[in-house]
Amino acid sequence: MMRLDKYLSELGAGTRSQIKQEIKKGQVSVNGTTAKDPGQRIDEEADQVCFQGRLLRYLRYEYYMLHKPAGCVTACRDKVHRTVMDYLDTDRRDLSPVGRLDLDTEGLLLITNDGALAHRLLSPARHVEKTYAAQVEGTLTEEHISLFASGLEIGDEKPTAPARLVITESGPRSEALLTITEGRFHQVKRMFAAVGCTVTYLKRLSMGGLTLDEDLRPGEYRPLKPEELAQLGLCPGPGENGEN
Ligand code: URA
């Protein structure tokens, strides 16, 4: 149960004061009766709330997979760049990206209002695997595989945790898949820099059992499917977008 004005503001109907005005104007009804009290308690799953004549559908938690394009920042607001949130066609205000990809990094980004899931995926103690495809300037060899596996000094207090490097192309320009279990600032770029390579292209392919849907072009997004929610350890139930 929650207050009517909070419910409407979570769904992007406006600020609490705008919503109060709309209620005053008779623009909100609950189960067919015009609402008068912004503090009226709403059962999010059972009550039928209409705003300006439209029936609202409440999803407690929403989960989206965005194929982040290069050139946008992983933030909710930015004065200079486009943000990842600009790609979502939603009025909902409580969504945010889980973790961060650099301005020039592409790939899988989960966007949700489920703070507990975000916390779980980002918690260093959970060692959630993230796999990146990288193109680098520099020749990657077998030796790099063991260096990455044993942990690298990248200028932090501690060396990096063991990481899995799979070389897919070796030459003056190399390509590789790198799986890490931490989320340090610019971690992948700093790891390659520590072995003398410069990352020229970076794309996240997966995170904690969730894999980027290659049918999504950069800038496109979609709700997570029930099986993807299950992979993240979530059971989609009524009021979550996995049921669609
Ligand atoms: N590591 C990086 O260096 N950049 C990213 O965007 C993600 C991981």
Side-chain angles (χ1 to χ4, degrees):
M1 300 285 281
M2 72 166 84
R3 287 174 59 102
L4 177 60
D5 54 358
K6 179 167 192 291
Y7 173 94
L8 288 168
S9 94
E10 277 198 6
L11 289 177
T15 61
R16 293 262 190 120
S17 59
Q18 287 165 341
I19 287 163
K20 278 194 183 110
Q21 288 305 316
E22 292 302 301
I23 292 173
K24 252 194 198 154
K25 287 195 253 162
Q27 292 292 325
V28 179
S29 70
V30 180
N31 302 324
T33 306
T34 304
K36 294 204 168 58
D37 176 10
Q40 179 178 346
R41 307 299 288 176
I42 295 295
D43 179 338
E44 307 91 291
E45 258 99 58
D47 288 334
Q48 304 247 301
V49 179
C50 285
F51 179 73
Q52 296 174 335
R54 259 190 326 130
L55 178 65
L56 301 178
R57 180 153 175 263
Y58 185 79
L59 300 172
R60 183 187 299 277
Y61 294 126
E62 297 188 10
Y63 305 90
Y64 298 101
M65 172 189 296
L66 169 71
H67 186 162
K68 179 195 176 291
C72 66
V73 290
T74 312
C76 292
R77 268 176 297 278
D78 192 86
K79 289 205 173 107
V80 179
H81 297 284
R82 252 192 122 171
T83 77
V84 291
M85 302 309 289
D86 293 334
Y87 289 89
L88 263 69
D89 183 18
T90 173
D91 292 327
R92 192 142 188 167
R93 288 145 190 253
D94 56 353
L95 291 167
S96 41
V98 177
R100 227 165 245 271
L101 293 177
D102 296 338
L103 182 68
D104 57 353
T105 302
E106 295 181 3
L108 174 67
L109 191 68
L110 176 62
I111 295 179
T112 184
N113 55 345
D114 182 346
L117 173 69
H119 182 76
R120 247 192 296 135
L121 289 171
L122 298 175
S123 160
R126 300 248 179 186
H127 309 289
V128 170
E129 289 199 343
K130 283 143 286 208
T131 299
Y132 294 84
Q135 292 175 3
V136 302
E137 301 263 3
T139 307
L140 291 173
T141 64
E142 292 285 314
E143 197 196 336
H144 290 108
I145 297 175
S146 17
L147 284 173
F148 277 77
S150 51
L152 292 169
E153 290 293 346
I154 60 169
D156 291 343
E157 242 171 60
K158 283 189 190 166
T160 56
R164 212 163 49 241
L165 183 70
V166 176
I167 302 168
T168 52
E169 183 91 38
S170 179
R173 291 206 176 126
S174 303
E175 294 184 10
L177 299 176
L178 179 63
T179 303
I180 59 174
T181 58
E182 302 165 291
R184 303 191 200 179
F185 185 62
H186 295 326
Q187 181 164 347
V188 172
K189 291 174 185 164
R190 288 160 69 211
M191 288 175 79
F192 280 108
V195 298
C197 295
T198 307
V199 172
T200 54
Y201 173 79
L202 191 60
K203 176 177 179 178
R204 183 156 66 193
L205 302 179
S206 67
M207 179 179 190
L210 188 65
T211 301
L212 178 66
D213 180 345
E214 288 291 350
D215 286 341
L216 291 176
R217 283 172 303 185
E220 291 184 340
Y221 73 101
R222 64 157 172 79
L224 291 195
K225 297 176 181 172
E227 58 270 28
E228 292 169 329
L229 291 173
Q231 246 144 12
L232 292 173
L234 298 165
C235 300
E240 290 172 358
N241 63 352
E243 70 185 329
N244 300 332

